[in-house]
Amino acid sequence: MKQAEDNTEEYLYQRLVSEDGKIEMGIHPVMFGYRVRAGYVGLMIYEMDWCGGDDQTQLELLYSIAKNILENKNSFDGVPPISRIKPFYKDADFVKHINSLVTKPLEIIKLKPLSLDRDKMMKNL
């Protein structure tokens, strides 16, 4: 996955797009935190919508796991579409499942401060 322009219409920030340009993922600010979302470019729906909470470190971990999975699968087959218990790290079964999908050593991605994404979103409302 490679860095791409933010999609401000859909409030998808710190966006990555697959090498073939078909899949996108990024951070979506919500009232009490942030979500990691991913789907097919241009469809305006998401195949994956995981609650990352409001802790930057935990969100970086979740974002990194999502990137790792999507780079190696290049599809959403077998990937949980949502995290049921919020935030994700409180759901042991969900964490176990997504960790089992990680196929290469996990590189933690340092995101720019999340407040910048929330500020951009508020300006676009």
Side-chain angles (χ1 to χ4, degrees), residues 47-48 50 62 65-66 68-70 73 75-84 88-103 106:
E47 303 291 323
M48 192 183 88
W50 298 347
L62 188 62
I65 290 170
N68 181 295
I69 293 169
L70 293 175
K73 291 180 75 54
S75 78
F76 296 97
D77 293 338
V79 178
I82 60 172
S83 53
R84 296 192 189 283
F88 81 97
Y89 53 84
K90 292 184 177 181
D91 186 344
D93 291 334
F94 176 80
V95 171
K96 183 178 178 181
H97 186 169
I98 63 174
N99 282 334
S100 75
L101 299 174
V102 171
T103 58
L106 187 63

